[in-house]
Amino acid sequence: MLPELTGNQNVFIEITNPVHGGPGWEFGSRLWSPVRDKRGAEAWGIMKEVKIGDVVLHLLKEKQSEGYKWTGISIVKTDITTVIDEPPQPDQWKGMSPYQFIEISNFDKLPTPIPISSIFAKYEKEFRSIYREPKSKSFYIEYGFDKELRVAVKYMAHIPQKLYKIFQNISDDAKFDYNPLLNDGTEPTENEPAVPDYTKPARTLTMTNRIIRDTELVRKLKESYGWSCQICGKRILLPNGKYYTEGHHLRPLGGSYEGPDIAENIIILCPNHHAEFDLRSIAIDPETMIIEHIDDSNEYHGKSLAYSRSDLGKIFLEFHYDNLFNE
């Protein structure tokens, strides 16, 4: 079941590919585009219409041999931001600075993505009827061998409520129940004051992979290891006499990573080293368990961990080391 729309909440549809900008710009974590096209004309103005709280349906083509599939849904988290630096993997939008992006949250992926062609086949009459209505031209229907829903600006579009209703019906048929956590799962526990997101100033890039859904699990891990950072061994003493550290998922929960919320995937860190893990500057060699830093003059580069953990999963250390570190 998809949520009912409230107030002036709108629905947008994103049609994209797995590259989606690369690290920090991943599918399921943000919407983004250039501000202007290659001729210098303002393009993708649809991005300015998106507001906090709107719903986004995500269509993804994972293989060129396959059509687009409805893959997930999310909620808009922030207003639009413009930056000069291009994403790590801009793909066909390379060299088109400045760029604009919108952070999204509560991304949930369908257990089995649904081909748009199959949705079209079942609801073709409804699709055609909606398309003939005024103000419905932001999307269009491709009448080829593979009939599909597309969008006029080749990336995203606002869709009418009638079209959203079709997706609600499809989600019911697929027994897909979307219940977003309105607070994104990041509220502090009784031992944890609120901490702002870490920002990399050069890119004005707010990292969003610090979701912690099972706060009780994280609390138990912190208690088990003395509320100490596994990199430096430090902890922050609070005025109430308790200590503060943070839990970090080696394979992120958000976006398309689908990391599990289990002890084997969670490392306990101080805020400084949490930021460095978020920004991919530091890692643990999964074979030697030695700390590596992109700056070989860093005081912890080449050092052993402050303490060892038998419950820290090697497969998650490998994922972080191979896929995220130094990107």
Side-chain angles (χ1 to χ4, degrees):
M1 177 182 296
L2 299 187
E4 294 296 329
L5 301 180
T6 60
N8 59 351
Q9 190 177 31
N10 291 315
V11 182
F12 292 84
I13 194 163
E14 178 194 40
I15 298 182
T16 188
N17 62 73
V19 175
H20 204 268
W25 299 65
E26 295 92 341
F27 175 71
S29 65
R30 61 174 47 180
L31 309 171
W32 72 276
S33 73
V35 174
R36 299 182 180 277
D37 62 23
K38 293 183 178 180
R39 296 173 296 178
E42 185 173 7
W44 300 282
I46 187 71
M47 294 276 284
K48 295 179 180 178
E49 299 179 19
V50 181
K51 64 182 185 301
I52 296 172
D54 284 342
V55 175
V56 182
L57 303 177
H58 302 271
L59 274 56
L60 182 69
K61 180 185 283 188
E62 297 194 79
K63 298 179 180 179
Q64 287 300 320
S65 59
E66 299 178 353
Y68 286 96
K69 297 179 180 180
W70 177 32
T71 304
I73 180 173
S74 67
I75 304 295
V76 175
K77 182 179 181 180
T78 68
D79 292 321
I80 193 167
T81 297
T82 301
V83 294
I84 300 299
D85 294 341
E86 68 181 20
Q89 296 175 259
D91 203 25
Q92 74 270 22
W93 287 341
K94 183 176 179 60
M96 296 178 64
S97 181
Y99 297 91
Q100 54 193 1
F101 69 81
I102 297 168
E103 301 286 359
I104 54 178
S105 64
N106 302 297
F107 175 79
D108 198 0
K109 191 173 183 180
L110 275 74
T112 302
I114 302 172
I116 293 301
S117 56
S118 69
I119 297 177
F120 185 95
K122 185 173 182 178
Y123 292 95
E124 180 173 358
K125 181 178 179 180
E126 290 86 347
F127 272 33
R128 292 176 184 269
S129 174
I130 295 169
Y131 185 67
R132 285 195 293 269
E133 292 183 1
K135 299 182 180 180
S136 293
K137 300 300 183 180
S138 60
F139 72 94
Y140 69 89
I141 300 167
E142 185 175 87
Y143 300 105
F145 176 76
D146 294 320
K147 295 176 180 177
E148 292 193 343
L149 169 70
R150 297 294 182 89
V151 296
V153 295
K154 304 291 186 179
Y155 174 55
M156 66 176 297
H158 172 263
I159 65 171
Q161 291 192 17
K162 287 184 179 179
L163 185 53
Y164 180 64
K165 182 63 178 178
I166 291 177
F167 281 90
Q168 286 181 309
N169 293 338
I170 292 295
S171 72
D172 291 344
D173 293 342
K175 295 181 171 56
F176 173 60
D177 189 16
Y178 180 63
N179 291 308
L181 294 173
L182 296 180
N183 57 17
D184 206 18
T186 57
E187 76 280 9
T189 67
E190 64 180 8
N191 290 323
E192 298 180 10
V195 176
D197 287 338
Y198 297 106
T199 303
K200 184 179 180 182
R203 294 181 182 270
T204 62
L205 173 61
T206 301
M207 305 305 293
T208 58
N209 59 356
R210 292 165 69 265
I211 304 168
I212 296 183
R213 295 198 175 111
D214 189 346
T215 54
E216 183 61 26
L217 169 62
V218 176
R219 190 199 317 275
K220 289 180 179 179
L221 283 172
K222 293 175 181 179
E223 291 174 346
S224 297
Y225 296 100
W227 298 81
S228 298
C229 175
Q230 195 170 2
I231 298 298
C232 64
K234 297 178 181 179
R235 57 187 182 176
I236 297 175
L237 178 63
L238 301 177
N240 62 7
K242 297 180 179 181
Y243 292 97
Y244 176 78
T245 45
E246 299 175 351
H248 171 78
H249 290 82
L250 293 163
R251 179 166 185 153
L253 300 181
S256 58
Y257 290 120
E258 299 181 317
D261 195 21
I262 57 177
E264 292 88 340
N265 189 31
I266 299 171
I267 184 172
I268 305 305
L269 300 168
C270 67
N272 285 344
H273 285 120
H274 195 167
E276 291 199 309
F277 267 84
D278 276 347
L279 296 173
R280 309 174 191 218
S281 299
I282 196 170
I284 301 170
D285 186 313
E287 299 298 331
T288 66
M289 298 303 288
I290 297 297
I291 300 166
E292 288 193 23
H293 199 283
I294 58 172
D295 179 4
D296 57 14
S297 67
N298 182 274
E299 62 178 312
Y300 296 103
H301 178 71
K303 298 287 185 64
S304 298
L305 295 170
Y307 56 86
S308 61
R309 275 182 55 189
S310 60
D311 60 345
L312 194 58
K314 183 178 178 181
I315 60 171
F316 301 114
L317 290 168
E318 289 175 338
F319 181 89
H320 178 267
Y321 190 84
D322 295 337
N323 298 281
L324 302 178
F325 175 53
N326 202 22
E327 286 289 347

